Amino acid sequence: MKQPAFLLILLLMGLSLYAADPAPDRASIIVAVGASGEEAYAAPFSEWAANWQKAGSAAGARLVALNPGLHNARDQLRKALEEEAKETSAVLWVVLLGHGSFDGREGKFNLPGDDLAASDLAAWLKPFQRPVVVICAFSASGAFLKPLAAPGRIVVTATRNGAENNYARLGGYLSETIADPAADLDKDGQTSLLEAWLAAAQRTADFYKNAERLATEHSLLDDNGDGFGTPPEWFQGVRVVKKPSNKQAPDGLRAHQIHLLPSASEKALPPALRTERDQLERELAQLRETKTTLPADEYYAKLEAILLRLAGLYRESQNGNPAPRP
């Protein structure tokens, strides 16, 4: 590709986004606080929930907070999910805060009354054809990763398996970083779920290091649907620097496109164009992973095609006129 072509594409992509009347795109946040067990845990769990509700309110999200005192909390969660729209571009956040357990066969989230099994939550989420984020911020939550993993879904667990069953602190830090501008690693004016998770995982690691204690929780993030998850140590900035052994796209690409508090330009982008933009960005990231395996001409030809489509999309957003599709 000639140098002027690259410059033109970058200039087009740098144009500000504008939409006179963006379509409604309201996220939903369901926050469930589990059984505290000991009284000492009730206060922090409530504080974490309050942080999520504050962030959700600032984002204009639809908030559903389940009362931790309800003995039918499991049924209340099921009902809340049943009432949510199944097909929309708006993100559904399911935030589970508390304790968990694992009996060697299945993970459970401890609730007043009947506990929530990973298989139950997986079945309740199956009808959803919208972006879904599940925050499993509880001990032994690693056992929820494989059952919940699915295309188009992002799952964060506080632990890497069900055996890490001590009190997990990640949920508290993530409730703080999810709307924290200081966690914005790429300085684009918004904090993505990936950035918030990386910041929270770092704070968790720092806690154990500073307290000179053996870390009893190791968080994972899965957004490619393979159910394996990726630890924060595999990231440098917002990019994965250690490749998984399978041929799946690396985790983190989708999570970096999810923002509870999007920037003004992000909110101005109509949902349909945002969906297309996100897909092109993932194609671009995946293409970069193959750079060393492709002939230079082929790589740059594919790169130019994606960048031109992105440039046309941004120009379409600014002008309000459909851009020609290749």
Side-chain angles (χ1 to χ4, degrees), residues 139-298:
S139 51
S141 54
F144 275 63
L145 192 65
K146 279 190 178 297
L148 297 186
R153 189 179 300 166
I154 302 171
V155 182
V156 171
T157 62
T159 73
R160 63 188 169 198
N161 53 46
E164 292 187 325
N165 54 15
N166 291 324
Y167 170 62
R169 292 170 170 79
L170 178 91
Y173 295 121
L174 186 56
S175 75
E176 297 170 351
T177 59
I178 194 66
D180 185 2
D184 177 13
L185 291 175
D186 61 7
K187 305 305 178 186
D188 65 347
Q190 54 190 356
T191 299
S192 68
L193 171 58
L194 174 65
E195 292 169 323
W197 170 70
L198 288 171
Q202 184 60 58
R203 293 188 191 183
T204 302
D206 289 344
F207 166 82
Y208 288 100
K209 180 180 179 180
N210 294 336
E212 297 183 342
R213 296 170 57 175
L214 181 67
T216 56
E217 58 184 297
H218 300 84
S219 184
L220 294 174
L221 179 145
D222 181 276
D223 68 357
N224 64 11
D226 67 1
F228 288 101
T230 298
E233 296 81 13
W234 284 25
F235 288 83
Q236 186 173 48
V238 296
R239 296 189 64 183
V240 172
V241 294
K242 185 174 180 180
K243 297 183 183 297
S245 58
N246 58 31
K247 296 183 179 180
Q248 284 274 20
D251 289 308
L253 299 178
R254 186 70 183 110
H256 192 42
Q257 296 174 327
I258 299 293
H259 310 85
L260 182 58
L261 290 172
S263 65
S265 61
E266 184 73 10
K267 287 189 290 187
L269 192 62
L273 291 185
R274 185 182 305 122
T275 298
E276 185 176 356
R277 187 277 314 273
D278 288 350
Q279 177 59 37
L280 289 171
E281 286 184 347
R282 291 195 294 274
E283 289 179 17
L284 182 61
Q286 291 166 15
L287 175 63
R288 285 172 176 157
E289 295 294 320
T290 67
K291 183 176 182 180
T292 59
T293 65
L294 293 175
D297 289 347
E298 181 181 351

Side-chain angles (χ1 to χ4, degrees), residues 27-29 42 49 59 80-81 92 102 106 122 177 194 215-216 247 271 289:
S28 293
I29 304 178
L81 288 170
L92 169 63
F102 180 62
E106 183 163 39
T177 59
L194 174 65
T216 56
K247 296 183 179 180
E289 295 294 320

Side-chain angles (χ1 to χ4, degrees), residues 22 40 46 54 72 79 86 89 101 113 118 132 135 144 184 216 223 237 252 260 276 296 307 326:
S46 295
K54 181 180 178 181
N72 61 343
K79 182 179 179 182
K86 303 301 184 291
S89 61
S101 61
V132 174
I135 306 296
F144 275 63
D184 177 13
T216 56
D223 68 357
L260 182 58
E276 185 176 356
L307 291 177

Side-chain angles (χ1 to χ4, degrees), residues 25 48 87 145 312 315:
D25 191 19
W48 302 355
E87 296 187 24
L145 192 65
R315 184 167 55 184

